[in-house]
Amino acid sequence: MTNLPPPAEELRLLDAELRQLDLRRAVLLRRREWLVHTLRTGAARPPGQGAGAMPWGDPPRAGAAGAAPRPETSASGVQNVLLVLGGLLLTVAAIAFTLVSWGHLGITGRALVLGALTVAALGAPVVLLRRGLRSTAEAVSALGTALTVLDSYALHEVAFTGVGGAGYTAAASAVLAGLWAAYGLLTAAPALVGKAAGDGSAGAGARPRLRHPLPLAVATAHLPLLLWALAAGAGPHTVTAVLLATAAGGTAVALRAAPVPVRVVAVTGALGTGVAGVLAAGWLCWNASDPGTAARAAALLAGAAAIALVSGRSVPHADAARGAALAAGLCLVAAAGGVLRVSVPGEWIVPGCLACAIALLAVDRTPLRRPLRQGLVLASAAVQGVAVLWALPLVAGTLLGPVARSTRPWSGRPGSVREAVFSAVPWPPYASTVPLVLAAVAAVLLVAGRNTARHRAAVAVVALGLGWAAVLVLPVVLRLPYEAGLVAQGTVVAAALGLAGWTGRAEQRPSPPALTALLLALVTSVGLAFLALASESATLGVLASLTVLFGVAGRRPGLAPFTVPAALGHATALACAAGASAGWPPQHTALLVLAVPAVAVLLTSRTGGSGTTVPAEAAGAAAGLLALALAVTDPPVLAVVLSLCGVLTAATALRPQRRPAGYVAAALFLLAAWVRLTAWDVTTPEAYTLPVTGPTLVVGWLRRRRDPAASSWTAYGAALAVTLVPSLLAAWDDRHWLRPLLLGVAALVVTLTGARHRLQAPLVLGAGVLALVTLHELAPYLAQVVGALPRWVPPALAGLLLLVLGATYEQRLRDARRLRDALGRLR
């Protein structure tokens, strides 16, 4: 636009455009509302209607042609609600009639009324099915089945009043189950049902049947045997057998039945009664007081296992068959364990169950279906896992029991290794067969690992761990003498290291079995070190042997990253033990401990860049920290230890890859100097700061020689601040004249040096310190002058200063900018 209209005209044009946009938006919103309504109601646009035939006006109202309201419920839903409600009302009426109005009729009238109602309710569905009214027939037949229950109740009240409730209920449930089963089968027969009427309710040849009688019959059939057993006062074994027999019958029905609802009800009932029977049989078996009672309960468990196996053979699904075989295997092992509990000593119960579980593995070579064999193998694996868990308390006690010796080292040689291990930890019951159990499971895994190439490494790792645990607890179980136990655990460490070297000799990196053997060797060595704390000579001998053993193992490149740090750790413990044995105080023992970091530095200087370097350096650093902790109570010795640590760190920094360690060495030397000064009761701050300032200034000067672009703050700022700031703080409270004079001279020299070489950091720091020192020295005189002046003079001078500054404000700003630029040009 080159010619702009006047503001009033432009405002009028904008208002007109906005009104047009609002109208267009309203039309588009109405069109969108109509389209959404059309999609929701499912109404199609009439053929030939153009884009403007409907449309861009108001949306159609509810009830208009082509936009009928959508029904909220379906016809079948309404029908089912009405039928269910009607059936319930009739059932309630029949119950009320039977319980309330029964006594007003004679016996003939009672029989006629209930009989007529029952026959009518059971016969009407046949006619309704022929006409295709299946839902109505289902509701009426449900009323009929409810009336049969009322008939059985009425029959007991009239003719069988002397029969017990449980017995009569058992007989009535059996009769009703048979009656409902026959009724369900008869209503499904083609001769009675025939074809659906030609009213379009069912297709030609359809055979509608009632859905609920057969499932109801199957559910009721689970009651008679159990109720009869309870009515007869049967014992727990008989009741358990009845539950298992009922489960077998339900399983047979589930395997033979065609309708899905019947199978679902049969499976549910079989699982419920089967689980209850198995739990009851297991409780009876494991709480039996004699072998005969246990054998009877074991026979019940064996029967349950047979039922599970038969059902597993017949089901087509592999997962179901596998689960059934798993349950069968567990039942068999539980049966054998219950018999063993009352037949053998307590130590042999778990080994006996384990033997039964191992025997189950023989089915892997039988012609059984693969899912069944897999399920039995899973059952065996589950029992073996439980046996290993049973053995874990003894293994954990053997490992952790000696840790209690750390609170009372060298308390005296125990009589046996069990006394040394379980002095503060209780002995687990029936633990004498733990080595046998662990060895058996390890052997099974080794045999199984030969046939599973895919999981061979994992199987080997688990078997190795179980074998190690078996050998570890064997001296404790056998009550070997204390020295023999130490030798046995040392042999375990050596064997684990040898196995790690043998399994990983052909590989650059250790294999999983080799890593497992290394881990087991390390864990056993730590436990052996704690176990040896009972005796002074044993401690020294064991720690020396472990140091040599791991040091020799560190010659293998694949094992060195693990064994070298272990050797250094045991050497550190040996140094501490040697110092304690010699009667040295902790601060003197710290000097002996420093031999370990020295060895680590020598070792890493030869193996720089390998995988052993970092672990060895970490072990050496840990030993150095321990030495510092031991010497912290004696400042003179601590200063020596810090100096030696600084020497070792500086030696490490000589390697090109460890140049940053030089900063740590410098910090250690500085700390050593400070600790030494503290031990001499030196309180002058310059004695602490000047040793830092001198070397740091030299380093900064060398840095600027290599890199002239480096800032003076980076090169000299920290060094100057370390000395000037503490000295300034000390001079501020110093009543003597020497420190302020020396500090002022030093600040003047620093300022002149900064001005001479145009360096920002010396100039700013020196000038600032010099100004503050001067202010500190002149403060008494200024205070005297201010005290001599009249009280109106200071406010007058302040006002005059403000006036001058205000008058020359812009000039002062220009001067400040020039000063800032001048400082900025300095380096």
Side-chain angles (χ1 to χ4, degrees), residues 581-600:
S581 177
W584 293 356
Q587 59 270 23
H588 294 166
T589 304
L591 298 174
L592 184 60
V593 172
L594 284 178
V596 177
V599 173

Side-chain angles (χ1 to χ4, degrees), residues 81-458:
V81 171
L82 294 178
L83 292 176
V84 171
L85 182 60
L88 288 176
L89 292 177
L90 290 176
T91 302
V92 172
I95 293 173
F97 169 77
T98 303
L99 297 179
V100 179
S101 302
W102 182 256
H104 299 290
L105 298 176
I107 187 171
T108 304
R110 300 170 188 173
L112 290 176
V113 170
L114 277 180
L117 289 176
T118 304
V119 171
L122 294 177
V126 178
V127 180
L128 294 174
L129 287 175
R130 289 183 175 181
R131 295 182 176 274
L133 303 176
R134 181 173 180 173
S135 299
T136 307
E138 199 76 42
V140 176
S141 65
L143 175 62
T145 54
L147 289 175
T148 55
V149 178
L150 295 177
D151 289 340
S152 63
Y153 168 75
L155 187 62
H156 178 267
E157 294 296 322
V158 173
F160 299 100
T161 55
V163 181
Y168 182 79
T169 304
S173 59
V175 172
L176 289 176
L179 176 63
W180 290 339
Y183 181 66
L185 294 175
L186 288 175
T187 54
L192 293 179
V193 178
K195 296 183 179 181
D199 57 356
S201 60
R207 295 175 54 190
R209 67 169 69 192
L210 297 177
R211 296 176 180 174
H212 81 278
L214 288 179
L216 186 61
V218 172
T220 309
H222 288 80
L223 300 177
L225 286 178
L226 181 60
L227 293 176
W228 271 329
L230 296 177
H237 288 81
T238 305
V239 174
T240 303
V242 167
L243 286 173
L244 294 177
T246 304
T251 302
V253 173
L255 295 175
R256 298 280 183 177
V260 175
V262 176
R263 289 202 303 271
V264 171
V265 173
V267 169
T268 304
L271 287 176
T273 54
V275 170
V278 168
L279 293 178
W283 185 85
L284 292 173
C285 188
W286 282 84
N287 288 274
S289 57
D290 57 87
T293 306
R296 291 174 58 192
L300 295 176
L301 286 174
I307 295 171
L309 284 177
V310 171
S311 62
R313 289 186 59 184
S314 303
V315 294
H317 299 290
D319 292 337
R322 195 177 295 110
L326 172 62
L330 294 177
C331 288
L332 291 175
V333 175
V339 175
L340 289 172
R341 192 189 66 83
V342 294
S343 304
V344 299
E347 290 83 0
W348 294 97
I349 296 176
V350 175
C353 294
L354 181 61
C356 297
I358 294 174
L360 286 178
L361 297 176
V363 300
D364 200 28
R365 299 184 179 276
T366 60
L368 286 176
R369 291 177 55 195
R370 180 178 177 84
L372 293 179
R373 288 186 278 121
Q374 291 177 344
L376 292 173
V377 170
L378 286 176
S380 175
V383 175
Q384 294 179 55
V386 172
V388 171
L389 291 178
W390 169 78
L392 282 183
L394 181 60
V395 179
T398 304
L399 283 176
L400 302 179
V403 178
R405 292 281 177 182
S406 60
T407 59
R408 43 189 179 88
W410 300 348
S411 57
R413 174 189 173 279
S416 66
V417 67
R418 181 182 295 189
E419 296 178 9
V421 172
F422 287 92
S423 59
V425 180
W427 175 258
Y430 306 127
S432 59
T433 54
V434 167
L436 178 62
V437 170
L438 294 174
V441 177
V444 170
L445 286 174
L446 288 177
V447 174
R450 296 184 305 176
N451 301 325
T452 57
R454 182 178 179 182
H455 304 289
R456 184 171 298 172

Side-chain angles (χ1 to χ4, degrees), residues 663 666 692-707 710 714-716 719:
Y663 298 105
V692 181
T693 301
T696 310
L697 287 175
V698 173
V699 172
W701 179 72
L702 295 175
R703 168 70 183 277
R704 282 184 57 83
R705 285 193 62 184
R706 291 196 306 267
D707 184 13
T714 304
Y716 308 119

